[in-house]
Amino acid sequence: MKKPILALILLFGLSSLSTATEIALQDHHPDRYVVVKGDTLWGIAGKFLKDPWRWPEIWKMNKPQIKNPHWIYPGDMIVLDMSSGSPELRLVKGIETIKLSPRVRVEPAEASAIPSIPLAAIGPFISKPLVIAEGELEKAPYIIGTEESRVILGAGNSAYVQSIEEGGALNWHIYRPGKALVDPDSNETLGYEAIYLGDAKINRFGAPATINITKSTQEINVGDRLVEMKEEATSAYVPHAPEKMILGRIVSAYGGVAEVGKGSIVTLNKGNRDGLEVGHVLALYRHGRNISPGAHDDISPEIVKLPDERYGLVFVFRVFDKLSYALVMQSERPVQVLDDVRTP
């Protein structure tokens, strides 16, 4: 929905989050920055701050503003204000329309507001389940046959599905059950991966129904399951640290590999029940190794644990009850499954 706003300099929020340390600005930070298409909240924050997740503090944001930052658009100007003695950010809306007197302009559609992080990296993880409860896929309709007895299906092929009756959804995702995701500390099964294979559209309802496969990312076979396609709005929370200490672990990395890097997707063993929410930024830590300095003369060798080393940051962009997905934003070394994530 479009709504008029005044093209004035706005200062957001009256309340501030408490900080334990002084906010560090970038050595060569700009005094102002004009937002352009393709920017992200994380990227803009990084132009001003050494710690991008502390943006809500320098902007004096309250919780509603952190969770609904759809007021930053291409053409707006971010201004760094040092008049109070500490850094604050101000927003000039639509600099191209500013006159000597207040003027009303029409805000662009919400979809044109800049996102928190690059949407291309997380798109499939926003719109598709990918983490499911035990047995959930067993209730879903499944492929029972293929055209011309094909063994492998892909985009452009047709297939027969057990049963989708008239009035059901037209568009579907295709999945295959994946591995269990187990908490490495408690051994609790947190959920199951659902391997996304592609998309399909109903050609004919019935028992069996006929589908046309419109997209495939992997080979599709008899027995693979269909899940109704639903649109889910992309959240654009401002990057911010949790208000309490979160201690978690990486339990899986997208693609089933043991090591990933910047721009990769990882699954964390913390979710809604632990207080995690979209927009939270967590620090990555590698466990310090236990080493033996060795025996010297008659001194018995002792085992020494090296300190845990912080080496990067992740941004949480989708949260389930017991699990969440995060994008690796910064990393000075390969990110490994079972590494720690903590409140920075």
Side-chain angles (χ1 to χ4, degrees), residues 38-334:
D39 274 337
T40 63
L41 298 181
W42 182 279
I44 295 175
K47 294 180 183 297
F48 293 93
L49 305 177
K50 290 185 176 180
D51 299 324
W53 72 89
R54 298 187 68 177
W55 201 17
E57 301 169 37
I58 195 175
W59 206 300
K60 308 301 181 185
M61 289 178 176
N62 56 32
K63 272 193 171 183
Q65 290 162 346
I66 289 174
K67 296 182 179 181
N68 185 24
H70 288 298
W71 30 250
I72 300 182
Y73 299 85
D76 292 343
M77 180 186 288
I78 312 296
V79 178
L80 180 64
D81 181 1
M82 298 294 294
S83 61
S84 67
S86 59
E88 294 184 10
L89 288 176
R90 297 177 184 269
L91 179 67
V92 179
K93 297 297 292 182
I95 60 173
E96 73 282 356
T97 66
I98 289 182
K99 303 297 181 183
L100 294 178
S101 59
R103 176 173 174 173
V104 174
R105 75 178 176 96
V106 176
E107 185 72 10
E110 185 174 287
S112 65
I114 63 169
S116 298
I117 53 179
L119 296 183
I122 65 172
F125 296 84
I126 291 292
S127 60
K128 301 171 179 62
L130 299 173
V131 170
I132 57 175
E134 183 176 8
E136 187 174 337
L137 280 184
E138 295 176 5
K139 307 170 186 175
Y142 58 91
I143 297 173
I144 60 171
T146 64
E147 61 175 358
E148 300 177 355
S149 301
R150 293 178 182 270
V151 177
I152 296 172
L153 294 168
N157 295 144
S158 296
Y160 304 101
V161 176
Q162 168 203 20
S163 177
I164 301 177
E165 299 297 336
E166 192 76 37
L170 287 175
N171 298 298
W172 299 76
H173 296 306
I174 305 172
Y175 288 95
R176 184 175 299 144
K179 67 179 182 181
L181 295 171
V182 179
D183 190 300
D185 299 316
S186 67
N187 289 324
E188 176 189 5
T189 298
L190 304 173
Y192 292 80
E193 288 184 334
I195 302 170
Y196 169 69
L197 305 175
D199 298 333
K201 187 172 184 177
I202 294 292
N203 185 40
R204 183 178 60 243
F205 291 101
T210 305
I211 60 170
N212 293 324
I213 298 172
T214 58
K215 176 183 178 181
S216 58
T217 60
Q218 297 187 42
E219 296 176 349
I220 298 171
N221 307 116
V222 170
D224 289 334
R225 304 277 173 165
L226 274 68
V227 175
E228 182 179 343
M229 189 182 297
K230 296 180 180 178
E231 293 295 327
E232 185 167 337
T234 301
S235 182
Y237 285 31
V238 169
H240 60 291
E243 294 181 348
K244 67 176 185 178
M245 178 55 67
I246 300 288
L247 298 173
R249 305 278 290 279
I250 296 174
V251 294
S252 179
Y254 182 62
V257 294
E259 289 188 346
V260 294
K262 180 180 177 181
S264 299
I265 308 294
V266 293
T267 307
L268 312 181
N269 67 338
K270 300 297 178 182
N272 282 320
R273 69 175 184 175
D274 307 292
L276 211 56
E277 65 181 35
V278 173
H280 275 162
V281 175
L282 300 172
L284 287 163
Y285 281 83
R286 178 71 43 78
H287 287 292
R289 295 179 293 112
N290 292 324
I291 64 170
S292 175
H296 298 281
D297 300 327
D298 59 346
I299 301 176
S300 300
E302 296 181 355
I303 301 299
V304 176
K305 182 185 182 303
L306 299 178
D308 296 345
E309 296 289 347
R310 174 172 164 169
Y311 68 91
L313 295 168
V314 298
F315 179 98
V316 177
F317 65 87
R318 191 171 184 192
V319 181
F320 303 89
D321 183 42
K322 302 176 183 179
L323 295 160
S324 59
Y325 288 135
L327 179 67
V328 179
M329 301 299 297
Q330 298 175 7
S331 180
E332 299 172 357
R333 61 180 67 176

